[in-house]
Amino acid sequence: MYYPDTIQKLIESFSKLPGIGPKSAERLALHVATKMKEEDALSFAKGLISVKRDLMHCSVCGNLTDKNPCSICRDSHRDRSVIAVVEEIKDLIAMEKMREYRGLYHVLNGVISPMNGIGPQDINIPSLLERLKNEEVKEIILATNTTIEGESTALYIAKLLENTDIKVTRIARGLPVGGGLEYADEVTLLKALEGRREIINNNK
Amino acid sequence: MYYPDTIQKLIESFSKLPGIGPKSAERLALHVATKMKEEDALSFAKGLISVKRDLMHCSVCGNLTDKNPCSICRDSHRDRSVIAVVEEIKDLIAMEKMREYRGLYHVLNGVISPMNGIGPQDINIPSLLERLKNEEVKEIILATNTTIEGESTALYIAKLLENTDIKVTRIARGLPVGGGLEYADEVTLLKALEGRREIINNNK
């Protein structure tokens, strides 16, 4: 009402983004209108269209990619005998940023969540089982989040793989590095205690 | 490097926005790629192009508009004898949201700032003077910010209008409504004291 329609529409688009409230949306739209170079705005617009048109999910692992299969699945230097199962693409990215893990991934694109009507068939569990039939996999690392839903999804997948010759592991739960005991919740502390490792064995 | 090029470019575009750091840019780009409906992304893209292509500055007051002159300058119900001089379009919007002011505006699109090499000719001061020659203006309200630069710009314009028959006023400086004295800085408190108004006059 105070803005020309053109700006009003852009404000609405910005405010559809997560974590951007109406005030920030206004500020961002005004920034684009008054401060941003036209070429930058155009390449921004192109980028928005391109991620929707040129990106697809990797048919093997579910990662986002502009070439199918994705660069990780195509990479011949990767260890093809290990698959880390993650919930979302951003979890895959977090793992990649670590620069340590050299195996493959399987992105579930969700978690089992009966409360929201999401069952095992609604996320990429069938495609994981299909993959395990055809690929030479020795270990599945269940790297879903350590939330209730992430834990139960991990448990569900683990059950499915009982009585196969695939090793199934779950990422460790414990104190975050740099975290103090006093700030940890009871469940985390319990998990940290349960998952303790021997550093010196004097009973040799 | 972890992302397909398509996403990487969108992340860069997002991170060019003010107040959006690299982490948020990643989050927003992934949101667009994985969660946003294609039609919403397209209308977002269209909005970005449209604000750069279809918007212009009002030739009269400097406001952003999609029709020239802008809706405020065209509005026949407005009081054409008063012009509020503001720094930026967002200041005009703030005034409009108040829903009390019925006069016209003049957007300087900046402030005089010798430190940044911005002189009176670089902002819309010449067009203001031109306007005053042709329009029947009785009052100029200097509504620039109460920063050092805003104050000196207001003072500069006031000096230019000395010895004309136009009344020149400056918005009041004082305590913000709901603000406590203890939190006010000395200058604000001084301005609040200087700007005090009589509410009862017992010396009638």
Side-chain angles (χ1 to χ4, degrees):
Chain A
M1 62 199 288
Y2 309 109
Y3 290 104
D5 267 5
T6 336
I7 295 202
Q8 195 58 49
K9 276 187 196 144
L10 187 58
I11 294 176
E12 278 158 30
S13 284
F14 269 115
S15 58
K16 278 182 190 159
L17 295 171
I20 309 262
K23 275 268 173 187
S24 306
E26 252 185 81
R27 194 172 47 84
L28 293 173
L30 271 183
H31 174 87
V32 173
T34 58
K35 302 270 157 80
M36 191 180 260
K37 279 187 229 147
E38 179 158 347
E39 62 191 75
D40 285 344
L42 290 187
S43 86
F44 191 172
K46 254 190 237 160
L48 286 167
I49 295 171
S50 166
V51 294
K52 296 314 279 188
R53 298 232 163 125
D54 305 337
L55 279 186
M56 58 202 116
H57 287 284
C58 171
S59 60
V60 180
C61 73
N63 186 13
L64 269 188
T65 180
D66 39 18
K67 275 194 206 114
N68 193 11
C70 74
S71 59
I72 295 174
C73 289
R74 273 185 286 127
D75 188 345
S76 57
H77 299 293
R78 290 264 176 175
D79 180 355
R80 313 204 140 255
S81 68
V82 187
I83 294 180
V85 177
V86 295
E87 288 179 24
E88 302 281 354
I89 285 144
K90 55 179 183 250
D91 304 324
L92 180 157
I93 301 293
M95 295 271 289
E96 281 300 285
K97 285 190 176 164
M98 193 174 54
R99 292 165 174 272
E100 272 296 325
Y101 179 69
R102 299 301 299 158
L104 301 177
Y105 293 95
H106 196 83
V107 183
L108 296 177
N109 266 316
V111 269
I112 299 172
S113 172
M115 294 277 285
N116 300 310
I118 300 170
Q121 303 300 317
D122 302 318
I123 60 176
N124 294 335
I125 289 182
S127 63
L128 174 65
L129 300 178
E130 202 56 41
R131 225 177 135 180
L132 296 179
K133 270 185 213 158
N134 304 320
E135 294 179 33
E136 280 273 323
V137 178
K138 294 196 186 109
E139 183 179 355
I140 290 285
I141 303 173
L142 297 170
T144 52
N145 291 340
T146 57
T147 55
I148 294 178
E149 287 166 342
E151 292 289 357
S152 50
T153 304
L155 207 65
Y156 181 87
I157 296 172
K159 287 261 180 208
L160 289 180
L161 301 179
E162 258 177 358
N163 307 321
T164 61
D165 47 6
I166 300 168
K167 183 162 124 189
V168 180
T169 57
R170 176 84 176 111
I171 49 164
R173 282 135 304 177
L175 252 62
V177 175
L181 260 76
E182 56 178 328
Y183 303 116
D185 60 289
E186 292 85 350
V187 185
T188 300
L189 211 50
L190 180 67
K191 292 286 179 189
L193 200 65
E194 283 176 359
R196 69 189 180 277
R197 287 220 200 151
E198 196 169 83
I199 50 172
I200 301 177
N201 182 354
N202 285 327
N203 308 324
K204 275 173 284 194
Chain B
M1 62 200 288
Y2 309 110
Y3 290 104
D5 267 4
T6 336
I7 295 202
Q8 195 57 49
K9 277 188 195 143
L10 186 59
I11 294 177
E12 277 158 30
S13 284
F14 269 116
S15 58
K16 279 183 188 157
L17 295 171
I20 309 262
K23 275 269 174 187
S24 305
E26 251 184 80
R27 195 172 46 85
L28 293 173
L30 271 183
H31 174 86
V32 174
T34 59
K35 303 272 157 81
M36 191 179 260
K37 278 188 227 144
E38 179 159 349
E39 61 191 76
D40 284 344
L42 290 187
S43 89
F44 192 172
K46 254 191 236 161
L48 286 166
I49 295 171
S50 167
V51 294
K52 297 314 280 189
R53 299 231 162 126
D54 305 337
L55 279 185
M56 58 203 115
H57 286 285
C58 171
S59 61
V60 179
C61 73
N63 185 13
L64 269 187
T65 180
D66 39 17
K67 275 194 204 116
N68 193 11
C70 75
S71 59
I72 296 174
C73 289
R74 274 183 286 127
D75 187 345
S76 58
H77 299 293
R78 291 264 174 174
D79 180 355
R80 315 205 138 254
S81 68
V82 187
I83 293 179
V85 177
V86 294
E87 288 179 25
E88 303 280 354
I89 285 144
K90 55 179 182 246
D91 304 323
L92 179 156
I93 301 293
M95 295 271 289
E96 282 299 287
K97 283 190 177 165
M98 191 173 55
R99 293 166 174 271
E100 271 296 325
Y101 179 70
R102 299 300 299 158
L104 302 177
Y105 293 95
H106 196 81
V107 183
L108 295 177
N109 265 315
V111 268
I112 300 173
S113 172
M115 295 276 286
N116 300 310
I118 300 169
Q121 303 299 317
D122 302 318
I123 59 175
N124 294 335
I125 291 181
S127 63
L128 174 65
L129 300 178
E130 200 58 37
R131 224 177 138 181
L132 297 179
K133 270 185 211 158
N134 305 320
E135 294 178 33
E136 280 273 322
V137 178
K138 293 196 184 109
E139 183 178 354
I140 291 284
I141 303 173
L142 298 170
T144 51
N145 291 341
T146 57
T147 55
I148 294 179
E149 289 166 341
E151 292 288 357
S152 51
T153 304
L155 208 65
Y156 180 88
I157 297 173
K159 285 263 179 207
L160 289 178
L161 301 178
E162 257 178 359
N163 307 320
T164 61
D165 47 6
I166 299 168
K167 183 161 122 188
V168 180
T169 56
R170 177 86 176 108
I171 49 163
R173 283 137 302 177
L175 253 62
V177 176
L181 261 74
E182 55 178 329
Y183 303 116
D185 60 289
E186 293 85 349
V187 186
T188 301
L189 211 49
L190 180 67
K191 291 286 181 188
L193 201 66
E194 281 176 1
R196 69 189 181 278
R197 288 220 198 150
E198 195 168 84
I199 50 169
I200 301 176
N201 182 354
N202 285 327
N203 308 324
K204 273 172 285 195

